[in-house]
């Protein structure tokens, strides 16, 4: 749950009044600069947003409004669903706002940051903090800049494969439990729960700290999830993808990502296969598809041979 107190701590804001409301919950991802409301137009007031007042709003309030209007505006801005009011540029809050926030128990805060920069910073923070979230059993590794989510049944070898990838110079994001947020349309960001951050569980060995063993360059705090590699035990008689023309998808929240299923057999280098899967995904992302190229070659050869492929 995101509260006003967490915002105060995150952005080092000064609390001026409305102290009793610092534990109010913030639920709206958007922020608002109530310029029209300051002029008296409240028909479409987004009262459940964080309200940000800059130089323009404060100077208008102090110079253009009558004494009666200055008493009225803060009271109308301060509704029970309003999480807080933040004044930028370290401006002195008008006395009317201080009194209205105290009466309504809405925190009145001040930041030294300018309005544009602060609005951008807090909007980015809210996007991540209030984004739809889920947890998945798996391992998230940054491989050649591609966030690869390795999934599979318990004991299939996900963590051991991740260890091999880290030894090869790639970076661990999360092991066993991956927290995934949908920060915007088709963008998933994965991270590790704080309690298991930087840790890997290797059966027969126990818990190891990847950063301690391999250095700070071996871990990453968060990464965009772009590709899923699902590990499963080899089943005799089951047909596995050989060309790569069929694109399977894994849906996480409202976003679909490419999924590759890797059958496990003795002697297969899983780390090496996953590295190639990440590189191949990167090439496809850049516009080159080896499977499609092979299919085009095959079609051309069939046309040359009049429908025969004996020479292949």
């Amino acid at each position: 749950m995101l509260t006003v107190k967490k915002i105060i701590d995150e952005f080092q804001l000064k609390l001026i009044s409305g102290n009793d409301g610092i534990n109010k919950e913030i639920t709206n991802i958007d922020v608002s600069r109530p310029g029209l409301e300051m002029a008296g137009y409240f028909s479409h007031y987004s009262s459940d947003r964080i309200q940000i007042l800059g130089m323009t709003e404060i100077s208008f309030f102090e110079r253009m409004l009558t004494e009666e209007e200055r008493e009225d505006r803060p009271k109308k801005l301060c509704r029970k669903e309003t999480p807080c009011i933040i004044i930028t540029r370290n401006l002195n809050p008008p006395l009317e706002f201080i009194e209205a926030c105290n009466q309504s128990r809405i925190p009145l805060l001040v930041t030294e940051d300018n309005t544009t920069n602060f609005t951008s910073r807090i909007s980015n923070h809210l996007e991540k903090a209030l984004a739809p979230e889920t947890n998945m059993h798996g391992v998230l590794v940054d491989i050649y800049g591609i966030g690869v989510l390795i999934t599979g049944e318990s004991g299939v070898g996900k963590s051991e494969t991740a260890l091999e990838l880290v030894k090869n110079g790639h970076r661990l994001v999360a092991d066993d439990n991956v927290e995934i947020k949908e920060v915007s349309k088709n963008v998933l960001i994965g991270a590790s729960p704080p309690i298991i951050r930087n840790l890997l569980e290797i059966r027969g060995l126990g818990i190891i700290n990847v950063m301690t063993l391999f250095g700070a360059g071996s871990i990453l705090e968060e990464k965009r999830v772009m590709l899923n590699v699902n590990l499963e035990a080899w089943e005799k008689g089951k047909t596995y993808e050989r060309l790569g023309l069929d694109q399977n998808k894994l849906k996480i929240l409202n976003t679909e990502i490419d999924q590759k299923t890797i059958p496990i057999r003795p002697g297969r280098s899983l780390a090496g296969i996953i590295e190639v899967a990440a590189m191949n995904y990167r090439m496809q992302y850049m516009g080159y598809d080896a499977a499609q190229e092979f299919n085009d070659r095959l079609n051309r050869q069939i046309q040359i041979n009049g429908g025969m492929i004996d020479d292949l």
Side-chain angles (χ1 to χ4, degrees):
M1 182 176 70
L2 182 63
T3 63
V4 175
K5 186 177 186 307
K6 291 181 180 179
I7 293 294
I8 294 173
D9 295 338
E10 177 70 24
F11 294 94
Q12 299 180 341
L13 305 177
K14 290 187 292 185
L15 178 60
I16 304 300
S17 64
N19 305 39
D20 295 338
I22 62 172
N23 291 317
K24 293 188 69 172
E25 184 179 2
I26 300 171
T27 59
N28 197 320
I29 199 170
D30 297 315
V31 298
S32 179
R33 290 189 66 179
L36 288 174
E37 289 79 7
M38 198 70 76
Y41 185 74
F42 283 86
S43 295
H44 300 283
Y45 176 40
S46 302
S47 57
D48 62 336
R49 300 179 183 180
I50 292 177
Q51 307 298 318
I52 299 178
L53 305 179
M55 177 73 74
T56 302
E57 291 79 14
I58 295 299
S59 61
F60 178 85
F61 179 84
E62 293 178 334
R63 299 176 185 179
M64 303 301 294
L65 300 183
T66 65
E67 182 178 344
E68 183 179 349
E69 289 172 333
R70 288 199 299 270
E71 288 287 337
D72 176 68
R73 298 295 189 268
K75 292 178 181 178
K76 288 185 176 179
L77 284 173
C78 295
R79 300 183 180 178
K80 65 177 183 178
E81 65 271 17
T82 305
C84 63
I85 296 175
I86 302 176
I87 298 177
T88 61
R89 294 183 176 272
N90 212 19
L91 297 171
N92 292 322
L95 179 61
E96 294 86 352
F97 272 93
I98 295 175
E99 293 177 348
C101 287
N102 270 330
Q103 292 173 3
S104 58
R105 298 181 178 181
I106 292 176
L108 178 62
L109 312 168
V110 172
T111 175
E112 296 180 354
D113 211 348
N114 66 64
T115 311
T116 302
N117 190 46
F118 180 76
T119 301
S120 176
R121 290 173 58 212
I122 198 168
S123 295
N124 290 337
H125 181 78
L126 292 176
E127 280 185 357
K128 289 186 177 181
L130 298 178
E133 183 178 358
T134 188
N135 290 68
M136 290 194 66
H137 177 62
V139 181
L140 181 58
V141 185
D142 174 27
I143 305 174
Y144 300 123
I146 304 298
V148 180
L149 177 65
I150 305 172
T151 57
E153 295 294 329
S154 181
V156 78
K158 299 183 295 297
S159 297
E160 291 80 0
T161 302
L163 177 60
E164 189 67 27
L165 288 166
V166 169
K167 290 173 64 180
N168 290 351
H170 306 292
R171 296 185 289 179
L172 175 72
V173 181
D175 176 51
D176 190 54
N177 183 16
V178 184
E179 294 181 343
I180 300 177
K181 290 187 175 184
E182 191 174 46
V183 297
S184 61
K185 185 178 180 180
N186 297 326
V187 177
L188 301 170
I189 299 296
S192 172
I195 195 171
I196 57 173
R197 188 169 295 154
N198 306 338
L199 303 180
L200 262 177
E201 179 194 356
I202 306 298
R203 280 179 169 78
L205 186 61
I207 303 295
I208 65 170
N209 190 310
V210 172
M211 186 173 69
T212 301
L213 291 178
F214 300 99
S218 64
I219 56 99
L220 195 61
E221 186 173 333
E222 62 180 29
K223 182 66 182 177
R224 180 177 176 181
V225 183
M226 304 175 74
L227 175 66
N228 169 233
V229 174
N230 185 54
L231 305 180
E232 66 173 41
W234 185 287
E235 292 185 27
K236 187 176 181 180
K238 182 175 180 178
T239 302
Y240 293 99
E241 181 64 35
R242 299 186 65 181
L243 297 181
L245 290 172
D246 295 333
Q247 295 293 330
N248 295 322
K249 299 288 185 177
L250 173 66
K251 187 172 184 179
I252 303 175
L253 297 172
N254 296 309
T255 299
E256 290 186 341
I257 61 173
D258 286 352
Q259 182 184 59
K260 304 295 182 184
T261 298
I262 308 298
I264 300 173
R265 294 188 72 175
R268 299 197 86 191
S269 173
L270 293 179
I273 293 173
I274 293 175
E275 285 178 326
V276 172
M279 288 188 289
N280 192 53
Y281 175 86
R282 189 171 183 176
M283 292 299 295
Q284 290 175 343
Y285 189 78
M286 296 170 65
Y288 172 75
D289 190 331
Q292 188 60 51
E293 181 184 9
F294 171 74
N295 190 58
D296 293 341
R297 290 182 187 179
L298 182 61
N299 288 333
R300 285 196 298 269
Q301 191 66 45
I302 292 174
Q303 291 174 358
I304 292 171
N305 294 341
M308 303 296 293
I309 56 173
D310 295 341
D311 294 337
L312 292 180

